[in-house]
């Protein structure tokens, strides 16, 4: 994986985070998937922003 910098971000300073959320409505499980793009210096920071 060339082009990856410290913390797993691209050398451009951009990183993506994938989050999957599960909830229930009337006994039915619902799933939502979000893929977000963050301009950060590290993947730890990108994950923190996505979780917030």
């Amino acid at each position: 994986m060339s082009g990856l910098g410290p913390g797993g971000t691209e050398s451009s300073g951009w990183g993506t985070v994938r989050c999957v959320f599960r909830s229930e409505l009337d006994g039915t499980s619902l799933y939502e998937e979000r893929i977000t793009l963050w301009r950060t210096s590290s993947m730890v920071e990108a994950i923190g922003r996505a979780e917030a």
Side-chain angles (χ1 to χ4, degrees), residues 5-48:
T9 59
E10 296 272 343
S11 58
S12 66
W14 291 93
T16 57
V17 178
R18 177 181 176 242
C19 297
V20 178
F21 302 91
R22 183 177 69 97
S23 59
E24 289 197 26
L25 178 65
D26 298 328
T28 302
S29 291
L30 303 171
Y31 294 89
E32 176 183 348
E33 179 179 22
R34 295 180 190 173
I35 299 173
T36 55
L37 176 66
W38 302 94
R39 181 148 192 141
T40 66
S41 59
S42 73
M43 281 307 298
V44 172
E45 184 180 351
I47 291 168

